[in-house]
Amino acid sequence: MSASISSEPDVRHRRADVERWRRDGFAIIEGFFTPAELEPLVRDYDELYGARYHGDGEPVDFKAEGAIGASHYKQFANIDNLPFGASVELDLISLHPALMAFARDLLDVSDVHLYQSHTWAKFTGEADFDQAFHCDFGNHTLTVPGDDPELRTVDFIFYLTDVEPDLGALAYVTKPDAYAILGEGAVIAPPERQQDMRARERSAAGAAGTLVAHSIDTFHRGTNLTRPGGRRYTMTVGYKAAGNDAIGFHVWQAQQNRDFSQLFRHASPEQLACLGVPLPGEGFWTPRTLQLAQSRWPDWDMTTYREAAR
């Protein structure tokens, strides 16, 4: 189905952003989130991660001579998955209506599901964050990215703090530039072509509130934090078309004791539907399932669901 730019009240993207993402694989929107929206999130990050960091804030460089970089486990510290055990604002930000609207238009579908949501805090000296150019599809699907928009996915990265070139800004290569080096449709950059890719890289640096939308078959790499005492607070959020079982990352129900009660208390039915909860009026909701769901989440206001089931 063909979807036009969403008519939802909170739309923060333009048609040009959709076209740029489809053409280049990256679209960057400055000021997508407001300072007021970011304030409680930064406070959460300071409490969750800033208090844990005990480094001296001096940059480190562990790369082999001549190498652009490589992935290693220390780069992936300070990552937690939804729900985060912090403020309701942090739990809800990845289900922001403006993100949902942008995802629908990028994927050209009317219904999307959130399949990835995690925090990421980086501090200077905690690791050498330089990586080689890569695409992210390998840990999002057992196959490869599809050709049609509705079979693809969108990864959103947004900045809670300023992410400048010396604070670990992503470097990326647009699809046309990458294909000119590696061949049409390439999703792997061999070691001998890494320097060629670097010659065409662009920076995704931006101020706090910037949103970076990229596809899982666009080449990019993490870069090192070199500013003494620097920090980089970001979130990574992934959307797919509802029903696309070829794509996955997080399984929200993987552990029975994970506490989603805050989300159920505050999220709208449309936001919960992005997590796989049936909308009011869908056949799933019967007197029995309504009663059981209320028992599981006693603080969830299910009035809309009950009324729709009558």
Side-chain angles (χ1 to χ4, degrees), residues 104-279:
R104 284 194 291 268
D105 288 336
L106 290 173
L107 300 176
D108 200 19
V109 296
S110 57
D111 297 309
V112 292
H113 275 187
L114 181 74
Y115 77 97
Q116 180 186 29
S117 175
H118 67 69
T119 54
W120 202 348
K122 295 181 180 180
F123 300 92
T124 301
E126 197 169 43
D128 179 347
F129 293 100
D130 274 321
Q131 297 175 330
F133 285 103
H134 62 281
C135 296
D136 281 348
F137 71 93
N139 59 349
H140 292 244
T141 180
L142 291 177
T143 58
V144 294
D147 292 332
D148 298 329
E150 65 268 23
L151 299 178
R152 307 181 73 78
T153 72
V154 55
D155 260 20
F156 293 124
I157 301 171
F158 53 90
Y159 302 164
L160 282 61
T161 56
D162 293 342
V163 179
E164 298 175 1
D166 61 348
L167 290 174
L170 276 180
Y172 69 98
V173 178
T174 66
K175 287 185 175 182
D177 282 348
Y179 296 163
I181 297 169
L182 303 172
E184 187 71 23
V187 291
I188 296 174
E192 64 271 16
R193 305 312 301 270
Q194 289 284 329
Q195 292 295 345
D196 297 330
M197 297 282 282
R198 189 171 191 179
R200 299 206 189 193
E201 75 178 15
R202 307 182 190 196
S203 175
T210 295
L211 177 73
V212 177
H214 76 92
S215 57
I216 58 173
D217 57 347
T218 306
F219 287 98
H220 63 282
R221 67 183 188 92
T223 67
N224 204 11
L225 278 74
T226 58
R227 182 184 300 183
R231 65 175 185 175
R232 176 188 188 267
Y233 289 174
T234 65
M235 283 195 73
T236 301
V237 174
Y239 277 92
K240 64 179 182 178
N244 183 357
D245 292 335
I247 300 293
F249 197 92
H250 296 140
V251 179
W252 306 122
Q253 64 274 23
Q255 295 175 303
Q256 184 169 307
N257 60 351
R258 300 190 72 214
D259 187 5
F260 278 86
S261 58
Q262 183 166 249
L263 267 167
F264 277 91
R265 284 199 307 273
H266 296 281
S268 69
E270 291 75 20
Q271 289 173 313
L272 291 173
C274 276
L275 298 174
V277 177
L279 283 164

Side-chain angles (χ1 to χ4, degrees), residues 8-26:
E8 288 199 6
D10 196 354
V11 174
R12 305 183 184 186
H13 66 280
R14 302 169 301 162
R15 170 59 62 185
D17 300 315
V18 175
E19 294 171 349
R20 186 177 301 109
W21 183 82
R22 292 185 182 168
R23 181 187 67 240
D24 294 341
F26 260 78

